[in-house]
């Protein structure tokens, strides 16, 4: 029987270098494997990378398993760098810890501990009990940000909500006559389609459907996937000739309605055409957003891209449910009264929602501001 392992006290100088490689490999799985986290792994022996791995689509190999398979017998006495604590439980696949121990890995370097109660610290303990040296906390801040969708799913019990909007320089989402296509330029719109490709769900409202008749799909060459389209439609007003309904057989679509509306003839027709209908608690035309997110969470979705009008976005902010924002500003002044979030009731400056960890990027002629709302 192996002697128990230990936490390394002297961190090798090159550990951050190899963890950066694992971090970069994890990005190959971004948007492809939810509800599993996208993880990267590197196996190093005698100062050389001998194999690499990243999480495969849900039900496939985890990053560690892919790297171990590529390394084969060479994995014995090697070091494993992995961005997230290896799993110790049976899910769609067997525990990664068992495979690591069987392969004869000597040391395991972990980015962050997995907060999932099924794993949290248990993976580290099992490795150490098998005589493997373990160290965690390498690039912890960067990896926590990288895995923010997964961490939200585990820690908050709901999907991560990313709000996207396009505005003029004076904060208007449309001109005085209501026209809004297109406020931003081609570079910004292309990035939005990459965001859609990454997302599990694009969430919008019946108001947006009636006003813009959108498709809410990914229009990129050979997209890796098409997200679920989810529409909040309390009274099931969605027209049969809308693009959403006309494409139900092509794109997965869920419609959330007020309880009692799910048994209507219109509902039955939508279901026959390929829609999924979910009745939700409602107060008038306002659906319970937490109930909506709860259903999407149970389905295994961990990133929701919120593409909607001002009213629904205001409701999400009121419920403190927006986790991150992508705000595109076009170099235009529109004037008029089409101000975003005008329905958000913030009576004074002290009630303002502050933003943190802000970054600013140039996208063609537009500016993109990315930030995290702080509700404290």
């Amino acid at each position: 029987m192996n002697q128990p392992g230990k936490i390394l006290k002297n961190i090798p100088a090159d550990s951050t270098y190899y963890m950066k490689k694992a971090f970069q490999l994890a990005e190959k799985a971004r948007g492809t494997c939810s509800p599993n986290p996208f993880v990267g792994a590197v196996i190093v022996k005698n100062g050389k990378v001998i194999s690499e791995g990243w999480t495969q689509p849900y039900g496939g190999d985890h990053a560690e398993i892919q790297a171990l398979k590529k390394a084969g017998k060479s994995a014995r006495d090697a070091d494993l760098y992995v961005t997230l604590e290896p799993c110790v439980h049976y899910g769609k696949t067997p525990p990664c810890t068992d495979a690591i121990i069987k392969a004869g890995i000597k040391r395991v370097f972990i980015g962050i501990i997995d907060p999932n109660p099924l794993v949290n610290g248990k993976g580290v303990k099992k490795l150490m009990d098998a005589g493997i040296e373990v160290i965690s906390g390498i690039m912890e801040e960067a990896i926590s940000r990288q895995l923010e969708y997964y961490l939200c799913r585990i820690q908050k019990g709901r999907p991560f909500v990313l709000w996207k909007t396009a505005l003029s320089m004076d904060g208007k989402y449309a001109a005085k006559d209501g026209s809004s296509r297109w406020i931003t330029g081609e570079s910004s719109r292309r990035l939005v389609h990459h965001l859609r490709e990454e997302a599990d769900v694009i969430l919008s409202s019946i108001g947006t459907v009636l006003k813009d008749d959108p498709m809410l799909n990914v229009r990129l060459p050979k997209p890796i996937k098409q997200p679920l389209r989810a529409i909040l439609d309390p009274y099931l007003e969605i027209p049969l000739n809308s693009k959403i309904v006309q494409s139900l057989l092509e794109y997965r679509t869920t419609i959330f309605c007020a309880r009692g509306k799910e048994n209507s003839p219109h509902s039955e027709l939508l279901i026959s055409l390929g829609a999924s209908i979910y009745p939700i608690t409602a107060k008038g035309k306002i659906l319970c957003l937490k109930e909506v997110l709860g259903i999407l969470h149970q389905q295994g979705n961990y990133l929701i891209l919120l593409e909607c009008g001002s009213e629904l976005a205001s409701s999400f902010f009121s419920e403190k449910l927006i986790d991150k924002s992508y705000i595109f500003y076009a170099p235009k002044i529109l004037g008029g009264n089409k101000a975003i979030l005008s329905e958000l009731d913030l009576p004074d400056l002290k009630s303002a929602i502050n933003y943190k960890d802000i970054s600013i990027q140039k996208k063609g002629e537009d500016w993109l501001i990315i930030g995290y709302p702080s509700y404290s």
Side-chain angles (χ1 to χ4, degrees):
M1 182 176 178
N2 291 338
Q3 293 297 314
K6 58 185 177 182
I7 295 289
L8 295 178
K9 294 182 179 179
N10 298 317
I11 304 174
D14 54 4
S15 60
T16 300
Y17 171 80
Y18 292 121
M19 191 60 76
K20 281 183 179 178
K21 282 187 170 293
F23 181 94
Q24 293 164 356
L25 288 166
E27 288 296 321
K28 292 177 177 287
R30 182 182 285 272
T32 69
C33 57
S34 60
N36 283 342
F38 51 98
V39 175
V42 174
I43 296 179
V44 179
K45 192 171 186 179
N46 299 325
K48 293 183 179 180
V49 174
I50 62 172
S51 68
E52 302 172 339
W54 55 90
T55 311
Q56 298 302 293
Y58 186 55
D61 286 343
H62 291 190
E64 305 95 312
I65 302 302
Q66 194 185 55
L68 288 169
K69 285 181 176 179
K70 292 177 183 177
K73 294 181 180 179
S74 298
R76 182 160 298 279
D77 294 325
D79 294 336
L80 169 67
Y81 291 79
V82 60
T83 53
L84 183 68
E85 180 182 10
C87 66
V88 72
H89 64 290
Y90 281 88
K92 287 281 187 179
T93 57
C96 290
T97 49
D98 290 359
I100 293 168
I101 294 167
K102 184 178 180 181
I105 290 290
K106 182 179 180 181
R107 301 186 297 183
V108 176
F109 297 81
I110 297 169
I112 63 173
I113 299 299
D114 192 340
N116 186 337
L118 295 173
V119 183
N120 193 7
K122 299 182 180 72
V124 169
K125 183 179 184 303
K126 188 166 186 178
L127 294 173
M128 292 178 64
D129 287 347
I132 297 173
E133 296 179 334
V134 178
I135 188 166
S136 65
I138 303 172
M139 292 182 59
E140 189 169 13
E141 184 175 348
I143 292 170
S144 294
R145 180 57 55 84
Q146 183 181 53
L147 290 175
E148 59 190 357
Y149 311 149
Y150 171 73
L151 296 180
C152 177
R153 172 177 170 79
I154 297 299
Q155 294 170 337
K156 296 184 179 179
R158 64 165 177 81
F160 189 96
V161 178
L162 194 163
W163 174 56
K164 182 278 298 182
T165 191
L167 305 172
S168 63
M169 293 296 288
D170 56 336
K172 303 303 193 301
Y173 61 85
K176 189 175 180 179
D177 65 355
S179 59
S180 60
R181 190 175 294 180
W182 298 98
I183 290 178
T184 53
E186 184 179 344
S187 295
S188 296
R189 298 198 298 272
R190 188 181 308 115
L191 176 56
V192 169
H193 281 282
H194 284 291
L195 286 174
R196 288 181 177 183
E197 184 182 43
E198 181 182 352
D200 298 306
V201 182
I202 300 174
L203 181 61
S204 194
S205 67
I206 183 59
T208 297
V209 173
L210 295 176
K211 177 179 176 293
D212 297 333
D213 195 22
M215 278 289 288
L216 301 178
N217 65 336
V218 180
R219 295 189 291 279
L220 294 172
K222 299 180 180 179
I224 57 176
K225 73 173 191 299
Q226 290 287 349
L228 173 71
R229 304 182 301 185
I231 309 296
L232 304 189
D233 184 5
Y235 303 140
L236 285 183
E237 300 172 280
I238 191 166
L240 295 179
N241 63 353
S242 65
K243 290 178 182 177
I244 293 289
V245 174
Q246 292 294 308
S247 58
L248 284 176
L249 291 179
E250 190 175 358
Y251 303 105
R252 295 178 301 126
T253 306
T254 288
I255 301 174
F256 294 96
C257 65
R259 294 191 188 281
K261 298 295 182 181
E262 73 275 14
N263 297 318
S264 67
H266 192 50
S267 173
E268 293 175 359
L269 183 55
L270 290 170
I271 292 171
S272 71
L273 293 172
S276 298
I277 305 292
Y278 286 88
I280 296 295
T281 303
K283 291 183 179 180
K285 66 175 184 177
I286 306 299
L287 296 178
C288 178
L289 298 181
K290 291 181 180 179
E291 199 171 325
V292 169
L293 294 183
I295 290 172
L296 294 174
H297 171 74
Q298 290 169 6
Q299 293 174 346
N301 301 296
Y302 70 18
L303 173 59
I304 292 176
L305 180 61
L306 184 62
E307 292 197 46
C308 62
S310 178
E311 186 175 0
L312 182 57
S314 295
S315 295
F316 266 87
F317 272 109
S318 294
E319 296 285 331
K320 303 179 180 180
L321 292 173
I322 289 178
D323 300 294
K324 188 176 184 178
S325 298
Y326 272 57
I327 305 176
F328 295 87
Y329 283 99
K332 298 178 175 73
I333 297 292
L334 294 180
N337 60 356
K338 305 293 185 182
I340 196 68
L341 303 178
S342 58
E343 299 85 358
L344 184 58
D345 184 16
L346 300 175
D348 52 42
L349 194 58
K350 292 181 180 179
S351 304
I353 298 171
N354 295 310
Y355 268 73
K356 60 184 180 180
D357 300 332
I358 292 173
S359 62
I360 301 176
Q361 303 174 12
K362 191 79 165 63
K363 296 296 176 184
E365 294 185 349
D366 305 324
W367 289 95
L368 168 62
I369 297 180
I370 302 172
Y372 298 81
S374 176
Y375 299 106
S376 57

